[in-house]
Amino acid sequence: GAVVSQHPSRVICKSGTSVKIECRSLDFQATTMFWYRQFPKQSLMLMATSNEGSKATYEQGVEKDKFLINHASLTLSTLTVTSAHPEDSSFYICSAPQAGGPGTQYFGPGTRLLVL
Amino acid sequence: EDKVVQSPLSLVVHEGDTVTLNCSYEVTNFRSLLWYKQEKKAPTFLFMLTSSGIEKKSGRLSSILDKKELFSILNITATQTGDSAVYLCAVENTNAGKSTFGDGTTLTVKP
């Protein structure tokens, strides 16, 4: 099946630093990727839709200047958490629907961010 | 705004029991309903349902969709401890393929 990878899998950083998370579709092209955030014991909340070659679409309440998204190619999207604070600590998951596929989203393994 | 409600929120059963998980939804432009299993990491795909009344099966798991009543159920028969997980239901919108997730059902299967 299709594979989506994320890097890093876990990151601990100091408050005020920026953290970049990569999401790659390994064996298929993805014109669209989705970024989710999941707090402990809560469900996945869609943050933004990453569009290859154009600006990301952010969900209501998500600060686009804080969560910078770049979809550099058909296999790579990056999420940068700028000036991270402890309340940004969460599990960040990306997903990608396979272009031309049945609509199933393939999830990356997630990145656990801890901001001290 | 799209909405997905799952019930129960948590469930504790013993091995061998059968469980039914519920998912009801409201969505403006329905494309599909998906079930996922989430253990410690990211969700893993179980089923995608697009048509009413057609049961999908995979081993001890099965699922069915009712587009008239706007709900789906996920059945697990002869549960095992390895079935312990959070089961997520999501509805995919035709608008850019975005998915809205329910809060999940936490299933605990005791030996």
Side-chain angles (χ1 to χ4, degrees):
Chain A
V3 177
V4 173
S5 71
Q6 269 183 253
H7 177 80
S9 58
R10 182 185 294 266
V11 59
I12 302 172
C13 68
K14 291 183 180 178
S15 187
T17 59
S18 293
V19 176
K20 182 189 277 189
I21 303 169
E22 292 186 348
C23 177
R24 290 182 188 272
S25 56
L26 296 185
D27 51 2
F28 67 99
Q29 293 181 333
T31 54
T32 301
M33 290 184 176
F34 299 101
W35 286 97
Y36 295 87
R37 180 167 56 183
Q38 186 177 35
F39 291 108
K41 299 198 184 295
Q42 294 187 26
S43 192
L44 279 74
M45 297 297 295
L46 180 65
M47 298 174 66
T49 304
S50 174
N51 304 300
E52 191 268 337
S54 64
K55 290 182 180 178
T57 308
Y58 290 82
E59 296 300 302
Q60 195 171 7
V62 178
E63 299 175 59
K64 58 183 176 184
D65 293 332
K66 181 164 184 66
F67 298 100
L68 300 178
I69 289 171
N70 181 28
H71 201 134
S73 73
L74 286 170
T75 58
L76 174 64
S77 174
T78 59
L79 168 69
T80 301
V81 183
T82 61
S83 187
H85 287 95
E87 58 266 29
D88 298 324
S89 299
S90 188
F91 192 50
Y92 292 87
I93 307 174
C94 71
S95 73
Q98 188 169 1
T104 305
Q105 289 192 50
Y106 298 97
F107 284 89
T111 296
R112 197 164 295 283
L113 171 63
L114 176 61
V115 185
L116 302 177
Chain B
E1 187 179 328
D2 296 348
K3 191 176 174 183
V4 178
V5 178
Q6 290 185 247
S7 64
L9 290 180
S10 66
L11 192 55
V12 180
V13 300
H14 288 93
E15 273 192 314
D17 289 349
T18 293
V19 298
T20 298
L21 310 182
N22 304 295
C23 175
S24 63
Y25 64 91
E26 295 173 26
V27 63
T28 47
N29 296 295
F30 178 87
R31 181 175 181 178
S32 63
L33 184 143
L34 304 111
W35 284 97
Y36 295 90
K37 178 182 182 181
Q38 185 176 28
E39 295 173 270
K40 295 216 187 287
K41 289 198 171 181
T44 54
F45 171 77
L46 294 176
F47 297 111
M48 181 174 76
L49 302 155
T50 55
S51 302
S52 277
I54 299 174
E55 186 184 46
K56 295 236 175 160
K57 290 198 73 165
S58 176
R60 295 176 294 102
L61 277 67
S62 64
S63 183
I64 198 161
L65 172 68
D66 185 329
K67 290 171 76 174
K68 184 179 175 187
E69 299 297 330
L70 307 182
F71 80 89
S72 173
I73 59 171
L74 174 69
N75 277 321
I76 309 176
T77 59
T79 52
Q80 303 171 356
T81 54
D83 295 327
S84 296
V86 176
Y87 290 84
L88 295 168
C89 172
V91 175
E92 192 177 26
N93 193 310
T94 56
N95 180 19
K98 296 195 316 186
S99 291
T100 301
F101 282 79
D103 287 338
T105 293
T106 301
L107 175 65
T108 303
V109 181
K110 293 189 171 182

